[in-house]
Amino acid sequence: MGYRSEVILTMKDEKFVELVKSMDDRVAANFFEMTEPKKRDSWTLVHFSDVKWYEDYPEVKAVEDFVSTLDEDDYAYHILGEDNDDYTHRGTWETPFNIRMTRSIDFDW
């Protein structure tokens, strides 16, 4: 099973191209197997739902290494874990995707 997260990574289109070029073919194939990029206003967004986002996975390491080189205004990186207090955000909030974090409690009658 493992610990699962929801991850959103968005960055300027040219930075996303650089990210993909920085990955070897196998890592890129695994990365795109988990998501389909969306584009808006010169930005690209990828969303991973219910994913094991472990830093020792090659795809995650490639993302982590790459975003650590970017200026804050070039990307937004959100990781929402299973635990109520497990949320990480890096980069900007100013993207054309209006990303926001919400939690809810659902129930049946």
Side-chain angles (χ1 to χ4, degrees):
M1 272 216 31
Y3 190 83
R4 300 289 179 151
S5 299
E6 181 171 6
V7 178
I8 291 179
L9 173 65
T10 184
M11 57 184 61
K12 293 179 179 175
D13 287 343
E14 65 272 12
K15 299 299 180 185
F16 187 76
V17 169
E18 289 176 28
L19 167 64
V20 174
K21 285 182 180 179
S22 74
M23 298 175 178
D24 69 36
D25 290 343
R26 182 185 56 79
V27 172
N30 289 342
F31 181 82
F32 286 109
E33 184 177 290
M34 299 185 297
T35 189
E36 183 176 325
K38 309 287 187 226
K39 295 187 175 284
R40 183 180 296 159
D41 299 336
S42 300
W43 284 72
T44 301
L45 178 140
V46 289
H47 174 238
F48 306 91
S49 183
D50 194 38
V51 65
K52 293 180 183 178
W53 198 253
Y54 300 148
E55 289 188 26
D56 57 338
Y57 284 12
E59 303 79 23
V60 177
K61 182 168 178 19
V63 169
E64 291 285 339
D65 289 348
F66 187 78
V67 299
S68 71
T69 69
L70 296 177
D71 291 333
E72 187 174 281
D73 294 337
D74 289 338
Y75 76 103
Y77 186 31
H78 301 263
I79 305 168
L80 180 62
E82 292 177 9
D83 295 335
N84 286 336
D85 62 348
D86 187 3
Y87 173 70
T88 302
H89 166 259
R90 287 186 272 165
T92 184
W93 282 98
E94 302 297 322
T95 74
F97 296 100
N98 298 316
I99 299 165
R100 59 203 163 278
M101 199 277 287
T102 62
R103 289 219 185 245
S104 65
I105 299 174
D106 298 319
F107 62 95
D108 293 331
W109 283 93

